[in-house]
């Protein structure tokens, strides 16, 4: 007597065929998945680009606001106290503001 071997062989072959087919599909689609992942990492989506631009604009607006507040303080010192150092600093701040203004878009209603 040989035991249950003749009965198990077809059953095992049928069960393993699903594993083999699954492995073959994974192997066949792997290059496509890797390539698509590489393209995804290499490109920037429009929403990511918009977010980055928004962050840059907010930083510029914040810096411009700081410079304008600093200019107001220096202007008061320069005019009322006749502080020559404050006048020199005021000129430097005005020059930086002049450079930054074209980089910050005009927002109506502000």
């Amino acid at each position: 007597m040989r035991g249950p071997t003749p009965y198990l062989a077809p059953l095992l072959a049928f069960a393993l065929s699903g594993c083999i087919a699954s492995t073959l599909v994974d192997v066949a689609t792997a290059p496509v998945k890797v390539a698509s992942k590489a393209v995804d990492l290499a490109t920037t989506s429009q929403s990511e680009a918009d977010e980055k631009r928004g962050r840059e604009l907010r930083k510029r607006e914040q810096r411009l606001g700081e410079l304008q507040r600093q200019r107001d303080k220096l202007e008061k010192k320069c005019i009322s106290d006749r502080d020559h150092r404050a006048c020199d600093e005021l000129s430097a701040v005005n020059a930086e503001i002049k450079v930054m203004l074209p980089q910050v878009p005009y927002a109506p209603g502000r």
Side-chain angles (χ1 to χ4, degrees), residues 41-54:
L41 291 174
T43 58
T44 303
S45 71
Q46 186 61 46
S47 65
E48 290 170 333
D50 291 345
E51 289 172 7
K52 184 177 179 183
R53 178 158 167 69

Side-chain angles (χ1 to χ4, degrees), residues 7-110:
Y7 302 110
L8 285 179
L11 184 62
L12 284 174
F14 181 72
L16 290 177
S17 68
C19 294
I20 293 170
S22 174
T23 302
L24 288 175
V25 168
D26 289 344
V27 169
T29 59
V32 174
K33 289 179 182 177
V34 169
S36 68
K37 184 69 172 175
V39 168
D40 188 40
L41 291 174
T43 58
T44 303
S45 71
Q46 186 61 46
S47 65
E48 290 170 333
D50 291 345
E51 289 172 7
K52 184 177 179 183
R53 178 158 167 69
R55 280 192 297 273
E56 290 172 2
L57 286 174
R58 282 189 296 279
K59 284 181 182 179
R60 287 184 198 144
E61 287 174 343
Q62 181 181 4
R63 177 65 181 148
L64 186 61
E66 291 169 358
L67 287 172
Q68 289 171 338
R69 286 188 293 277
Q70 186 179 2
R71 180 187 61 197
D72 293 343
K73 290 178 185 177
L74 289 171
E75 214 168 42
K76 286 178 186 175
K77 278 186 177 182
C78 180
I79 293 172
S80 64
D81 298 343
R82 298 180 191 207
D83 183 354
H84 295 293
R85 185 180 299 164
C87 293
D88 292 340
E89 286 181 39
L90 178 62
S91 295
V93 168
N94 279 331
E96 190 173 348
I97 288 174
K98 187 176 180 179
V99 169
M100 286 201 67
L101 275 176
Q103 299 174 1
V104 178
Y106 173 73
R110 279 189 169 182

